[in-house]
């Protein structure tokens, strides 16, 4: 099946057809981020209910010098992802990084964020790498040890086994003597979590529903988007928010030449966002070849910034 699909469909097409053919239908979360999805995600980061981005930025700012002491001064910084205009300069300035290596799949997005960064940190050498950071992109050779940066709780979007593989991969890529500065969202009151993933302005719903619109745009699909609603559900046993697109009536639609049917109430699972206690995060560090060094959180413990050592 996979080979046959690969002949005619791109990565998104293959993942959609394979995912929609499963009993629990699913579309991998990485397909959220087309131009529209990336713009909606940017909006999410500004929402009053979505505490993640502003809490992490505030922690980085408030504890910049302690974080820099733990993360190491004067080292190249490798960021897994394109970098955020608010968070990245805080770490780069505090650590006095001479070189910055952002790795991101979207070359355009990389160039845009690099332009902004050049204004804020003028003396920095920037070596952008266009590629998928979940695959082992080769890093430039550096003279001394480096610091990795993986903010935003992006690690939470990977299942446990995959998250450990990724952290192990970072350890291997960054090498001996490395440090990793990683932002991880914490377990908290489910009401607060569900509000963060189902905001009152409906931006997260639009972000989720955009996946259906994207299939209609790119995969010659005819999904009746108005027959779906956004759901965000906290699963305590799994420690994660799950996002789904639920059919509100029986539907039949075509995607890339295949027909799919769904009952009312049946869902397409689109994202997991795992939340980790500081203890769970430290266990993950040790299980993936890192030594936890330090941890910062806000007064209410709603977000955590960790520094680990190789
Ligand atoms: C990118 N990632 C860390 C976000 C999260 O919180 O899991 C994606 C997101 N999904 C809905 N809102 C934000």
């Amino acid at each position: 099946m996979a080979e046959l699909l690969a002949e005619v469909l791109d990565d998104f097409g293959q993942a959609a057809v394979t995912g929609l053919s499963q009993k629990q239908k699913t579309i991998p979360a990485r397909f959220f981020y087309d131009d529209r999805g990336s713009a909606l995600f940017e909006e999410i980061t500004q929402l009053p209910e979505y505490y993640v981005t502003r809490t992490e930025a505030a922690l980085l700012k408030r504890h910049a010098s302690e974080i820099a002491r733990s993360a190491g001064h004067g080292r190249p910084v490798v960021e897994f992802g394109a970098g955020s205009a608010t968070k990245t300069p805080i770490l780069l300035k505090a650590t006095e990084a001479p070189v910055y290596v952002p790795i991101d799949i979207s070359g355009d997005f990389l160039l845009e964020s690099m332009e902004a960064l050049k204004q804020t940190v003028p003396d920095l050498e920037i070596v952008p790498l266009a590629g998928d950071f979940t695959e082992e992109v080769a890093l430039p050779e550096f003279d001394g040890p480096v610091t990795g940066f993986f903010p935003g709780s992006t690690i939470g979007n990977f299942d446990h086994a995959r998250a450990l593989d990724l952290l192990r991969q970072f350890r291997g890529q960054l090498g001996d003597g490395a440090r990793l500065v990683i932002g991880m969202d914490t377990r908290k009151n489910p009401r607060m979590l569900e509000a963060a993933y189902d905001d009152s302005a409906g931006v997260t719903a639009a972000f989720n529903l955009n996946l259906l619109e994207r299939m209609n745009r790119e995969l010659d699909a005819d999904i009746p988007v108005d027959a779906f609603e956004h759901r965000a559900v906290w699963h305590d046993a799994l420690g994660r928010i799950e996002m789904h697109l639920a059919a509100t009536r029986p539907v039949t639609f075509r995607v890339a030449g295949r027909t799919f049917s769904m009952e009312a109430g049946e869902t397409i699972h689109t994202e997991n966002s795992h939340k980790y206690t500081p203890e769970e995060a430290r266990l993950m560090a040790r299980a993936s070849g890192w030594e936890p060094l330090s941890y910062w959180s806000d007064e209410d413990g709603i977000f955590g910034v960790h520094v680990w050592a190789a």
Side-chain angles (χ1 to χ4, degrees), residues 33 41 44 50 152-154 157 197 204 207 243 271 273 275:
Y33 302 94
F41 179 66
I44 288 175
Y50 194 74
S153 201
T154 304
N157 295 131
Y197 290 82
T204 312
F207 175 71
M243 296 213 311
E271 188 182 59
S273 197
K275 310 299 169 187

Side-chain angles (χ1 to χ4, degrees), residues 25 27 37 42 70 86 111 160-161 170 175 205 219 246 275-276 285 299:
K25 296 187 186 322
I27 308 274
E42 211 42 50
S70 195
T86 44
L111 289 178
H160 293 294
F170 291 170
L219 302 178
K275 310 299 169 187
Y276 295 111
E299 298 82 68

